[in-house]
Amino acid sequence: VQLQASGGGLVQAGGSLRLSCKASRAITSVFNPRTMAWYRQGPGKQRELVATVSRDGSTTYADSVKGRFTISRDNARKMVYLQMNQMKAEDTAVYYCNTDDSEWNWGQGTLVTVSS
């Protein structure tokens, strides 16, 4: 499975971005049962889990993004999304998607830069 994240860019603090991730080369019977997740790796930091969404749409969030970020998925299109609102400088990172147990190959991620 190849994971392709997109939608990153430069945004001012308080602004919004929507990230997308496509699981290409994956058939729906492989993608749909999996709990998907967004991760991020900030400058000089380890990669951290940001949010997860299960096959039925149940979600979990890291405390640092709760109330500001929303994860969702479209099983028919094999897509995962991350809506990021009220962004802060500390959200600056490369964002990746993967399964919640990081089983699939990591893609290149998408860079998000929040200017304060």
Side-chain angles (χ1 to χ4, degrees):
V1 177
Q2 187 173 3
L3 298 165
Q4 299 167 309
S6 61
L10 175 64
V11 63
Q12 289 187 334
S16 300
L17 277 177
R18 187 186 191 222
L19 305 183
S20 300
C21 176
K22 183 171 180 62
S24 60
R25 302 179 185 175
I27 56 177
T28 53
S29 62
V30 169
F31 176 83
N32 290 357
R34 305 305 303 270
T35 293
M36 296 301 297
W38 281 97
Y39 301 80
R40 67 185 181 186
Q41 186 166 16
K45 299 180 181 179
Q46 291 188 332
R47 188 175 292 166
E48 63 174 347
L49 179 65
V50 174
T52 69
V53 57
S54 69
R55 62 182 299 177
D56 64 357
S58 299
T59 58
T60 66
Y61 297 93
D63 287 343
S64 58
V65 306
K66 201 170 293 183
R68 301 188 297 120
F69 290 10
T70 302
I71 188 172
S72 61
R73 67 190 291 165
D74 183 333
N75 287 338
R77 297 182 179 182
K78 296 173 288 184
M79 297 286 293
V80 186
Y81 305 98
L82 186 68
Q83 177 66 44
M84 304 186 293
N85 299 326
Q86 302 171 46
M87 297 185 72
K88 305 175 180 179
E90 50 263 44
D91 295 323
T92 294
V94 178
Y95 285 72
Y96 305 86
C97 67
N98 208 322
T99 60
D100 64 335
D101 57 0
S102 308
E103 179 177 346
W104 295 341
N105 294 326
W106 293 99
Q108 290 187 337
T110 186
L111 176 63
V112 172
T113 303
V114 184
S115 62
S116 55

